[in-house]
Amino acid sequence: MQIANDALGAAAGELEDRPPLCAGLSFIHYKGFEVADSLSKLREVYQQQFPELLELGIHVMVSQNGLGELTIGDSHEYGLNLSPFDQTHINELIINFLKSFAQFKDWRIGSAWHGIYPKMTDGSIDFVREIDQYVTIVNGVGGAGMTLSFGLGEEVVDQL
């Protein structure tokens, strides 16, 4: 989802860079945090307080782009038959949780979208298959694309 730059209460040219924010639900979602000794206790608390958020893979983050717009997310549903349409209920859960730790002048959503991504189930992080000398399929960094895609892209291009 995206909120326009007037949500920050700043006129054009007066925008401050805002740091990205995330809530504790992200600690539960991302495997990189599993090294934290206290994570199991945090998970127990969140399972009692927010079972629906965990079931829907919701962990709330917000970041500002160069235009001052705020990008908010996100949720993760898993399965073989996913709907291509946004679910208002899920977007409302995300916004309501974000309101528990962030304040903006205007909460109107300018646009909303969702992606459907393949996720590897065998422990690998990517799927790379050369079909012929002109076509290579690269996919499957599901859930870690912002972190891994540039490195994976560089590796694939180097092998061409």
Side-chain angles (χ1 to χ4, degrees), residues 5-6 9-15 67:
N5 63 11
D6 61 346
E14 296 178 357
L15 291 173
L67 299 174

PDB file of all heavy atoms in Angstrom, residues 5-6 9-15 67:
ATOM      1  N   ASN A   5       2.643  11.771  -0.221  1.00  0.00           N
ATOM      2  CA  ASN A   5       3.558  12.525   0.642  1.00  0.00           C
ATOM      3  C   ASN A   5       2.864  13.535   1.536  1.00  0.00           C
ATOM      4  O   ASN A   5       3.441  13.970   2.518  1.00  0.00           O
ATOM      5  CB  ASN A   5       4.676  13.184  -0.167  1.00  0.00           C
ATOM      6  CG  ASN A   5       4.175  14.220  -1.154  1.00  0.00           C
ATOM      7  OD1 ASN A   5       3.024  14.618  -1.120  1.00  0.00           O
ATOM      8  ND2 ASN A   5       5.045  14.626  -2.051  1.00  0.00           N
ATOM      9  N   ASP A   6       1.618  13.920   1.260  1.00  0.00           N
ATOM     10  CA  ASP A   6       0.958  14.868   2.160  1.00  0.00           C
ATOM     11  C   ASP A   6       0.619  14.230   3.507  1.00  0.00           C
ATOM     12  O   ASP A   6       0.274  14.914   4.459  1.00  0.00           O
ATOM     13  CB  ASP A   6      -0.288  15.474   1.517  1.00  0.00           C
ATOM     14  CG  ASP A   6      -1.348  14.455   1.167  1.00  0.00           C
ATOM     15  OD1 ASP A   6      -1.056  13.247   1.171  1.00  0.00           O
ATOM     16  OD2 ASP A   6      -2.482  14.881   0.868  1.00  0.00           O
ATOM     17  N   GLY A   9       2.557  15.693   6.320  1.00  0.00           N
ATOM     18  CA  GLY A   9       2.283  17.063   6.742  1.00  0.00           C
ATOM     19  C   GLY A   9       3.351  18.037   6.278  1.00  0.00           C
ATOM     20  O   GLY A   9       3.560  19.070   6.884  1.00  0.00           O
ATOM     21  N   ALA A  10       4.038  17.743   5.180  1.00  0.00           N
ATOM     22  CA  ALA A  10       5.095  18.611   4.674  1.00  0.00           C
ATOM     23  C   ALA A  10       4.737  19.092   3.278  1.00  0.00           C
ATOM     24  O   ALA A  10       4.164  18.353   2.490  1.00  0.00           O
ATOM     25  CB  ALA A  10       6.419  17.855   4.627  1.00  0.00           C
ATOM     26  N   ALA A  11       5.073  20.322   2.984  1.00  0.00           N
ATOM     27  CA  ALA A  11       4.867  20.854   1.645  1.00  0.00           C
ATOM     28  C   ALA A  11       5.969  20.337   0.728  1.00  0.00           C
ATOM     29  O   ALA A  11       7.029  19.913   1.192  1.00  0.00           O
ATOM     30  CB  ALA A  11       4.892  22.380   1.686  1.00  0.00           C
ATOM     31  N   ALA A  12       5.720  20.399  -0.586  1.00  0.00           N
ATOM     32  CA  ALA A  12       6.725  19.947  -1.542  1.00  0.00           C
ATOM     33  C   ALA A  12       8.037  20.675  -1.301  1.00  0.00           C
ATOM     34  O   ALA A  12       8.063  21.872  -1.042  1.00  0.00           O
ATOM     35  CB  ALA A  12       6.233  20.217  -2.965  1.00  0.00           C
ATOM     36  N   GLY A  13       9.140  19.963  -1.347  1.00  0.00           N
ATOM     37  CA  GLY A  13      10.453  20.539  -1.127  1.00  0.00           C
ATOM     38  C   GLY A  13      10.844  20.613   0.335  1.00  0.00           C
ATOM     39  O   GLY A  13      11.968  20.944   0.657  1.00  0.00           O
ATOM     40  N   GLU A  14       9.908  20.327   1.248  1.00  0.00           N
ATOM     41  CA  GLU A  14      10.196  20.396   2.675  1.00  0.00           C
ATOM     42  C   GLU A  14      10.282  19.014   3.322  1.00  0.00           C
ATOM     43  O   GLU A  14      10.324  18.906   4.537  1.00  0.00           O
ATOM     44  CB  GLU A  14       9.083  21.175   3.402  1.00  0.00           C
ATOM     45  CG  GLU A  14       8.972  22.620   2.994  1.00  0.00           C
ATOM     46  CD  GLU A  14       7.829  23.314   3.718  1.00  0.00           C
ATOM     47  OE1 GLU A  14       7.098  22.664   4.478  1.00  0.00           O
ATOM     48  OE2 GLU A  14       7.665  24.520   3.503  1.00  0.00           O
ATOM     49  N   LEU A  15      10.284  17.992   2.515  1.00  0.00           N
ATOM     50  CA  LEU A  15      10.248  16.638   3.069  1.00  0.00           C
ATOM     51  C   LEU A  15      11.551  16.283   3.769  1.00  0.00           C
ATOM     52  O   LEU A  15      12.639  16.550   3.263  1.00  0.00           O
ATOM     53  CB  LEU A  15       9.980  15.619   1.970  1.00  0.00           C
ATOM     54  CG  LEU A  15       8.584  15.668   1.389  1.00  0.00           C
ATOM     55  CD1 LEU A  15       8.491  14.725   0.203  1.00  0.00           C
ATOM     56  CD2 LEU A  15       7.563  15.294   2.438  1.00  0.00           C
ATOM     57  N   LEU A  67      10.038  10.461  -3.410  1.00  0.00           N
ATOM     58  CA  LEU A  67       8.958  11.424  -3.586  1.00  0.00           C
ATOM     59  C   LEU A  67       8.263  11.747  -2.273  1.00  0.00           C
ATOM     60  O   LEU A  67       7.326  12.534  -2.233  1.00  0.00           O
ATOM     61  CB  LEU A  67       7.922  10.878  -4.583  1.00  0.00           C
ATOM     62  CG  LEU A  67       8.433  10.600  -5.987  1.00  0.00           C
ATOM     63  CD1 LEU A  67       7.352   9.921  -6.824  1.00  0.00           C
ATOM     64  CD2 LEU A  67       8.916  11.881  -6.641  1.00  0.00           C
TER      65      LEU A  67
END
